[in-house]
Short mmCIF file of all heavy atoms in Angstrom, two decimals:
data_model
loop_
_atom_site.label_atom_id
_atom_site.label_comp_id
_atom_site.label_asym_id
_atom_site.label_seq_id
_atom_site.Cartn_x
_atom_site.Cartn_y
_atom_site.Cartn_z
N VAL A 1 -69.57 121.54 -33.62
CA VAL A 1 -68.82 122.51 -34.45
C VAL A 1 -67.34 122.25 -34.42
O VAL A 1 -66.67 122.21 -35.40
CB VAL A 1 -69.14 123.97 -34.03
CG1 VAL A 1 -68.24 124.96 -34.73
CG2 VAL A 1 -70.58 124.29 -34.25
N ILE A 2 -66.78 122.14 -33.20
CA ILE A 2 -65.36 122.05 -33.02
C ILE A 2 -64.79 120.67 -33.38
O ILE A 2 -63.71 120.62 -33.98
CB ILE A 2 -64.97 122.43 -31.62
CG1 ILE A 2 -65.43 123.90 -31.30
CG2 ILE A 2 -63.54 122.27 -31.30
CD1 ILE A 2 -65.49 124.24 -29.83
N ASP A 3 -65.48 119.62 -33.02
CA ASP A 3 -64.90 118.29 -33.21
C ASP A 3 -65.38 117.57 -34.50
O ASP A 3 -64.72 116.63 -34.94
CB ASP A 3 -65.32 117.38 -32.01
CG ASP A 3 -64.77 117.83 -30.73
OD1 ASP A 3 -63.76 118.63 -30.72
OD2 ASP A 3 -65.33 117.44 -29.64
N GLU A 4 -66.44 118.10 -35.13
CA GLU A 4 -66.90 117.47 -36.38
C GLU A 4 -66.87 118.42 -37.55
O GLU A 4 -66.29 118.10 -38.61
CB GLU A 4 -68.36 116.97 -36.14
CG GLU A 4 -68.50 115.85 -35.24
CD GLU A 4 -69.88 115.29 -35.17
OE1 GLU A 4 -70.89 115.98 -35.35
OE2 GLU A 4 -69.94 113.99 -35.01
N LEU A 5 -67.53 119.58 -37.47
CA LEU A 5 -67.70 120.42 -38.66
C LEU A 5 -66.36 121.05 -39.06
O LEU A 5 -65.99 120.98 -40.27
CB LEU A 5 -68.70 121.53 -38.33
CG LEU A 5 -69.04 122.47 -39.53
CD1 LEU A 5 -69.66 121.70 -40.64
CD2 LEU A 5 -69.98 123.57 -39.02
N LEU A 6 -65.60 121.66 -38.09
CA LEU A 6 -64.37 122.28 -38.53
C LEU A 6 -63.37 121.27 -39.06
O LEU A 6 -62.71 121.54 -40.11
CB LEU A 6 -63.74 123.03 -37.34
CG LEU A 6 -64.54 124.31 -36.92
CD1 LEU A 6 -63.74 125.00 -35.79
CD2 LEU A 6 -64.75 125.28 -38.03
N PRO A 7 -63.19 120.12 -38.44
CA PRO A 7 -62.27 119.13 -39.08
C PRO A 7 -62.69 118.66 -40.41
O PRO A 7 -61.85 118.41 -41.30
CB PRO A 7 -62.30 117.95 -38.03
CG PRO A 7 -62.65 118.57 -36.76
CD PRO A 7 -63.62 119.68 -37.10
N GLU A 8 -64.01 118.56 -40.68
CA GLU A 8 -64.49 118.18 -42.01
C GLU A 8 -64.13 119.22 -43.03
O GLU A 8 -63.62 118.87 -44.09
CB GLU A 8 -66.00 117.93 -41.96
CG GLU A 8 -66.61 117.49 -43.29
CD GLU A 8 -66.19 116.08 -43.64
OE1 GLU A 8 -65.70 115.30 -42.75
OE2 GLU A 8 -66.34 115.74 -44.82
N VAL A 9 -64.41 120.49 -42.74
CA VAL A 9 -64.03 121.57 -43.66
C VAL A 9 -62.55 121.70 -43.74
O VAL A 9 -61.99 121.98 -44.86
CB VAL A 9 -64.68 122.90 -43.27
CG1 VAL A 9 -64.28 124.00 -44.18
CG2 VAL A 9 -66.20 122.76 -43.24
N GLY A 10 -61.85 121.46 -42.67
CA GLY A 10 -60.43 121.57 -42.65
C GLY A 10 -59.67 120.54 -43.49
O GLY A 10 -58.50 120.68 -43.75
N LYS A 11 -60.38 119.49 -43.94
CA LYS A 11 -59.81 118.54 -44.88
C LYS A 11 -59.49 119.18 -46.20
O LYS A 11 -58.55 118.77 -46.97
CB LYS A 11 -60.72 117.35 -45.09
CG LYS A 11 -60.94 116.49 -43.89
CD LYS A 11 -61.97 115.40 -44.21
CE LYS A 11 -62.30 114.52 -42.98
NZ LYS A 11 -63.31 113.50 -43.25
N SER A 12 -60.24 120.26 -46.57
CA SER A 12 -60.05 120.90 -47.84
C SER A 12 -59.41 122.27 -47.77
O SER A 12 -58.89 122.74 -48.80
CB SER A 12 -61.45 121.00 -48.53
OG SER A 12 -62.04 119.74 -48.68
N TYR A 13 -59.48 122.94 -46.59
CA TYR A 13 -59.00 124.29 -46.48
C TYR A 13 -58.18 124.44 -45.23
O TYR A 13 -58.38 123.76 -44.23
CB TYR A 13 -60.17 125.22 -46.49
CG TYR A 13 -61.10 125.09 -47.70
CD1 TYR A 13 -62.29 124.36 -47.59
CD2 TYR A 13 -60.71 125.54 -48.92
CE1 TYR A 13 -63.05 124.15 -48.65
CE2 TYR A 13 -61.50 125.34 -50.03
CZ TYR A 13 -62.69 124.65 -49.90
OH TYR A 13 -63.44 124.43 -51.02
N ASN A 14 -57.23 125.36 -45.29
CA ASN A 14 -56.33 125.67 -44.18
C ASN A 14 -57.01 126.64 -43.22
O ASN A 14 -57.03 127.84 -43.53
CB ASN A 14 -54.98 126.18 -44.70
CG ASN A 14 -53.94 126.32 -43.57
OD1 ASN A 14 -54.20 126.00 -42.44
ND2 ASN A 14 -52.79 126.78 -44.00
N LEU A 15 -57.62 126.13 -42.14
CA LEU A 15 -58.37 126.97 -41.23
C LEU A 15 -57.51 127.26 -39.99
O LEU A 15 -56.84 126.42 -39.49
CB LEU A 15 -59.60 126.23 -40.79
CG LEU A 15 -60.56 125.74 -41.89
CD1 LEU A 15 -61.80 125.05 -41.25
CD2 LEU A 15 -61.04 126.88 -42.79
N THR A 16 -57.66 128.46 -39.51
CA THR A 16 -56.91 128.84 -38.26
C THR A 16 -57.40 128.02 -37.12
O THR A 16 -58.56 127.60 -37.05
CB THR A 16 -57.10 130.34 -37.98
OG1 THR A 16 -56.30 130.67 -36.88
CG2 THR A 16 -58.53 130.70 -37.67
N THR A 17 -56.47 127.78 -36.21
CA THR A 17 -56.84 127.20 -34.87
C THR A 17 -56.81 128.19 -33.82
O THR A 17 -57.03 127.83 -32.62
CB THR A 17 -55.90 125.99 -34.55
OG1 THR A 17 -54.54 126.46 -34.53
CG2 THR A 17 -56.06 124.89 -35.61
N ASN A 18 -56.53 129.45 -34.12
CA ASN A 18 -56.41 130.50 -33.15
C ASN A 18 -57.84 130.91 -32.74
O ASN A 18 -58.55 131.42 -33.57
CB ASN A 18 -55.61 131.69 -33.70
CG ASN A 18 -55.44 132.84 -32.74
OD1 ASN A 18 -56.07 132.86 -31.72
ND2 ASN A 18 -54.57 133.77 -33.12
N PRO A 19 -58.25 130.84 -31.46
CA PRO A 19 -59.60 131.22 -31.11
C PRO A 19 -59.92 132.68 -31.31
O PRO A 19 -61.11 133.03 -31.54
CB PRO A 19 -59.66 130.88 -29.61
CG PRO A 19 -58.30 130.82 -29.15
CD PRO A 19 -57.48 130.39 -30.33
N ASP A 20 -58.92 133.54 -31.28
CA ASP A 20 -59.15 134.96 -31.58
C ASP A 20 -59.37 135.24 -33.08
O ASP A 20 -59.74 136.39 -33.44
CB ASP A 20 -57.91 135.78 -31.09
CG ASP A 20 -57.83 135.88 -29.61
OD1 ASP A 20 -58.88 136.17 -29.00
OD2 ASP A 20 -56.74 135.72 -29.05
N GLU A 21 -59.16 134.27 -33.91
CA GLU A 21 -59.40 134.35 -35.34
C GLU A 21 -60.62 133.55 -35.80
O GLU A 21 -60.82 133.31 -36.99
CB GLU A 21 -58.16 134.00 -36.10
CG GLU A 21 -57.02 134.91 -35.87
CD GLU A 21 -55.81 134.62 -36.77
OE1 GLU A 21 -55.56 133.45 -37.14
OE2 GLU A 21 -55.08 135.58 -37.08
N ARG A 22 -61.41 133.19 -34.83
CA ARG A 22 -62.68 132.42 -35.14
C ARG A 22 -63.82 133.17 -34.61
O ARG A 22 -63.89 133.50 -33.45
CB ARG A 22 -62.66 131.03 -34.46
CG ARG A 22 -61.66 130.01 -35.13
CD ARG A 22 -61.68 128.73 -34.27
NE ARG A 22 -60.96 127.67 -34.95
CZ ARG A 22 -60.74 126.48 -34.37
NH1 ARG A 22 -61.22 126.26 -33.10
NH2 ARG A 22 -60.10 125.51 -35.00
N ALA A 23 -64.82 133.40 -35.47
CA ALA A 23 -66.08 134.09 -35.10
C ALA A 23 -67.24 133.14 -35.35
O ALA A 23 -67.16 132.28 -36.26
CB ALA A 23 -66.26 135.38 -35.90
N ILE A 24 -68.29 133.27 -34.57
CA ILE A 24 -69.49 132.45 -34.71
C ILE A 24 -70.70 133.35 -34.49
O ILE A 24 -70.66 134.27 -33.66
CB ILE A 24 -69.47 131.27 -33.76
CG1 ILE A 24 -70.62 130.32 -34.06
CG2 ILE A 24 -69.44 131.69 -32.31
CD1 ILE A 24 -70.44 128.91 -33.46
N GLY A 25 -71.77 133.17 -35.23
CA GLY A 25 -72.87 134.03 -35.11
C GLY A 25 -74.18 133.35 -35.59
O GLY A 25 -74.19 132.22 -36.07
#
């Protein structure tokens, strides 16, 4: 999730890197 998926989506969108602003479920 952290090393592959988020960087892939982050190529197109400005995603937070703040862990308090990231949820997973």
Side-chain angles (χ1 to χ4, degrees):
V1 172
I2 297 162
D3 298 339
E4 292 189 324
L5 184 61
L6 291 184
E8 183 67 18
V9 177
K11 293 176 183 177
S12 301
Y13 305 100
N14 188 1
L15 305 179
T16 184
T17 59
N18 182 348
D20 287 316
E21 295 186 329
R22 287 174 170 176
I24 188 163

